[in-house]
Amino acid sequence: MAGEVKTKLSKNLLRMKFMQRGLDSQTKKQLDEEEKKIISDEHWYLDLPDLKEKESYIIEERSFIPCEDLLYGRMSFKGFNPEIEKLMVQINSKSKKEEIEEDDKMEADVSDEEMARRYETLVGTIGKKFLKKRDQRVLHDEDEEENTCNKGIRSNARTQTSWPLVSALEN
Amino acid sequence: MAGGGGAPAESRVGQVVLPGDVLLLPAYDEQDTERLPLGTSAAPRGRLLCGPGLRRCAGGLLVTKCGLLRHRRAGDGAAAAGGAYWVDSQQKRYVPVKGDHVIGIVTGKVGDVFRLDVGGSEQASLSYLAFEGATKRNRPNVQVGDLIYGQFLVANKDMEPEMVCIDSSGRASGMGVIGQDGFLFKVSLGLIRKLLAPKCEIIQELSQLYPFELVLGMNGRIWVKAKTVQQTLIIVNILEACEYMTAEQRKQALAKLSGN
């Protein structure tokens, strides 16, 4: 009796999840494919060639505002409504901002060249602080050699003023 | 159905066009759209704006309203890089368009929504939350009969138009209930566009007369308020009449007034 019942089970019943747990993967795949084929056969489609959608460069617009660059409709004159006047200035300046070129730079207290010079020496000074001791000694010796080629007194003065940190570390 | 081939669009600029006319546009290379536009090499770069009164059709633009054909060249900083074509037609009946700022009259409250008459075929709806700083507890003070300056959020032929009184960043920026007093009147849509043009002489001349406040709605409604009733009425009369006055007549009228 049990054997006969198995063979008489319907296809839908066999497709149910609990019946498929026992099946191996291959039969599962087969069943899936068959289902997909049935579903895709039922879908209707047009047997036409694919038309390429033309990239359109025309935008349709139903409003006049972008065409004629109309102003904002709320206006006040001669200080009748101060809030509206402030708004008008804001909105008009926003539209004029695109026309105005680079705004003027603020005047700096220190000029750019001066800044570059100072920065250059500063970088060197601070950088030497972080060198290893041996490198510092080598650097110091090189500088002394350079300076002895020039006048003696001047070089001493320079070593003292330019690299106070190095000299402090050396001592 | 449409007669013969069309004429090129540039040749008809400034002339009267009728519905059904086809305006041909120079064919653009389709390959160019795939390449990245570098600098301003080819002349009309960017998209062409097809304004009111025109529709796209094969080969160019199809005219749907009668009027004068206008053109604006491609310019940097303008909204339409690539130029714009539109038909300048005269009309009194307003059709709601998305993004337009209009003056509406509150005709009723239905639940959480105000009904506004904007002069179109349908009444517009305005939610009470669409005001600056409005919350469920803090309702805006709007009564039936008030004037509201707002913009359209939704406006097409299939749906009821919806308005809001805030902009995209949530600020009012001049929209909302228009104050007490003042005078509301209706003019044709063409005059509104003339008054809102960037350098409008009428507005500049009027602003020299006396202090006043002016709200122009794209639906043809203008609201004016000045210090006295007489001044308000003078401005109203000038605005109504200036549509059909020449520049000299207008200057004469204003000169007489400023003399008084």
Side-chain angles (χ1 to χ4, degrees), chain A residues 54-69 71-75 77-78 81 87 98, chain B residues 28 47-48 50-52 56 72 77 86 96 149 173-174 193 196 203 207-208 211-216:
Chain A
K54 272 193 231 167
E55 169 79 24
S56 149
Y57 60 93
I58 304 180
I59 328 171
E60 273 189 14
E61 175 73 51
R62 282 178 56 221
S63 164
F64 277 102
I65 298 174
C67 295
E68 297 182 6
D69 264 346
L71 298 174
Y72 192 63
R74 204 144 183 195
M75 309 181 195
F77 300 104
K78 291 205 172 179
N81 190 336
L87 194 74
E98 293 152 359
Chain B
Y28 286 69
R47 301 182 152 214
L48 184 71
C50 162
R56 247 188 343 221
R72 194 180 63 172
W86 70 95
Y149 188 61
S173 85
R193 278 185 280 126
L196 281 176
I203 300 274
S207 65
Q208 308 299 324
F212 68 98
E213 191 185 342
L214 182 67
V215 180
L216 298 154

Side-chain angles (χ1 to χ4, degrees), chain A residues 7 10 20 22 25-27 61 86 89 114 141 154 170:
Chain A
T7 51
S10 66
Q20 294 197 351
S25 58
Q26 257 209 350
T27 24
E61 175 73 51
K86 251 191 284 179
V89 169
E114 179 76 18
D141 288 340
R154 240 180 214 280
E170 292 284 307

Side-chain angles (χ1 to χ4, degrees), chain B residues 13-230:
Chain B
V13 171
Q15 293 181 359
V16 174
V17 288
L18 295 175
D21 289 351
V22 176
L23 303 168
L24 299 172
L25 291 170
Y28 286 69
D29 270 332
E30 280 178 22
Q31 294 154 13
D32 283 350
T33 55
E34 288 168 11
R35 274 188 268 139
L36 289 171
L38 297 165
T40 52
S41 48
R45 255 299 141 210
R47 301 182 152 214
L48 184 71
L49 193 68
C50 162
L54 294 172
R55 271 184 170 220
R56 247 188 343 221
C57 79
L61 303 170
L62 183 68
V63 179
T64 55
K65 275 203 191 154
C66 46
L68 294 169
L69 183 68
R70 300 267 187 233
H71 173 57
R72 194 180 63 172
R73 272 173 211 277
D76 33 10
Y85 282 100
W86 70 95
V87 176
D88 197 357
S89 62
Q90 187 61 297
Q91 197 172 309
K92 282 190 150 198
R93 167 66 82 169
Y94 177 67
V95 173
V97 169
K98 180 174 167 175
D100 265 3
H101 294 262
V102 294
I103 299 180
I105 305 175
V106 181
T107 55
K109 278 194 227 192
V110 181
D112 292 336
V113 150
F114 300 112
R115 286 243 163 268
L116 297 175
D117 165 38
V118 289
S121 56
E122 278 188 8
Q123 301 210 325
S125 70
L126 170 63
S127 164
Y128 75 97
L129 288 171
F131 289 85
E132 185 178 11
T135 57
K136 286 199 180 143
R137 300 252 179 101
N138 180 19
R139 288 175 179 238
N141 186 14
V142 175
Q143 307 303 324
V144 174
D146 278 354
L147 294 177
I148 298 220
Y149 188 61
Q151 63 176 344
F152 281 110
L153 190 66
V154 170
N156 50 38
K157 62 180 168 71
D158 304 314
M159 289 163 64
E160 172 193 59
E162 279 177 36
M163 279 180 59
V164 288
C165 288
I166 51 174
D167 61 10
S168 53
S169 59
R171 284 179 300 199
S173 85
M175 293 186 271
V177 181
I178 298 177
Q180 294 292 316
D181 309 327
F183 190 94
L184 178 77
F185 61 103
K186 192 169 181 337
V187 292
S188 69
L189 307 188
L191 179 63
I192 298 279
R193 278 185 280 126
K194 203 160 79 168
L195 293 171
L196 281 176
K199 293 191 180 110
C200 179
E201 292 173 356
I202 308 171
I203 300 274
Q204 282 171 359
E205 285 168 18
L206 274 179
S207 65
Q208 308 299 324
L209 272 184
Y210 20 68
F212 68 98
E213 191 185 342
L214 182 67
V215 180
L216 298 154
M218 292 292 286
N219 52 348
R221 292 185 182 162
I222 305 182
W223 180 84
V224 181
K225 180 174 174 186
K227 285 210 174 114
T228 67
V229 175
Q230 198 189 16

